Amino acid sequence: MTSGLRSEKQEPEPLPEPFKVNCQTEVEVKHGVGLHARPSVTFTRLAKSFPCSIEIAVNGSDVWLNGKSIIKIMGARIRKGSILRIRADGILAEEAIRALKELIERNFDEEKKHGRTT
């Protein structure tokens, strides 16, 4: 005997915008020596604080690197004047892109930390 009620699996509701987004931006690296050790660590730490995937491409390359990998970022040998394309996919992607772009534009806050200008 059945009660007439059927249990149906319901698909989870998609996340509302702006929580799940695919987005991309470009920014020029103006830091005096590019992304050496300290700026690379600062960049990847910030990238890892977001739950989305983050990738970068350098100077128009079609090769996308994991923006959360210190090895990939330092290995790219990103110099002053390089143009970074940053893309993010997933939850809080738009916020991640904005934060990373601002970090680069602020020269990784190194002037504040070390009392010097680049």
Side-chain angles (χ1 to χ4, degrees):
M1 197 181 226
T2 59
S3 63
L5 295 175
R6 294 185 333 182
S7 95
E8 292 182 25
K9 273 192 169 179
Q10 293 183 355
E11 293 294 317
E13 290 185 32
L15 291 169
E17 300 296 332
F19 296 104
K20 186 166 181 159
V21 179
N22 302 338
C23 56
Q24 182 172 306
T25 191
E26 281 191 358
V27 63
E28 180 181 351
V29 176
K30 295 185 179 179
H31 188 278
V33 292
L35 267 75
H36 60 83
R38 277 190 309 268
S40 293
V41 168
T42 304
F43 183 92
T44 55
R45 248 188 219 149
L46 181 59
K48 287 177 184 178
S49 73
F50 291 95
C52 54
S53 69
I54 297 171
E55 297 176 307
I56 66 164
V58 184
N59 292 328
S61 170
D62 289 332
V63 177
W64 289 92
L65 307 171
N66 181 350
K68 296 181 179 185
S69 168
I70 187 68
I71 302 294
K72 296 291 185 185
I73 300 299
M74 287 187 67
R77 299 182 189 268
I78 300 164
R79 305 286 182 230
K80 180 178 182 177
S82 296
I83 303 297
L84 295 186
R85 279 187 297 157
I86 307 169
R87 71 180 180 189
D89 181 25
I91 299 170
L92 300 177
E94 193 172 295
E95 186 179 322
I97 291 292
R98 186 174 26 253
L100 291 166
K101 182 176 183 176
E102 289 172 1
L103 176 69
I104 293 167
E105 289 172 341
R106 292 191 316 265
N107 284 326
F108 305 92
D109 296 328
E110 286 209 337
E111 293 85 20
K112 295 176 190 171
K113 292 179 190 172
H114 304 289
R116 60 185 161 169
T117 59
T118 55

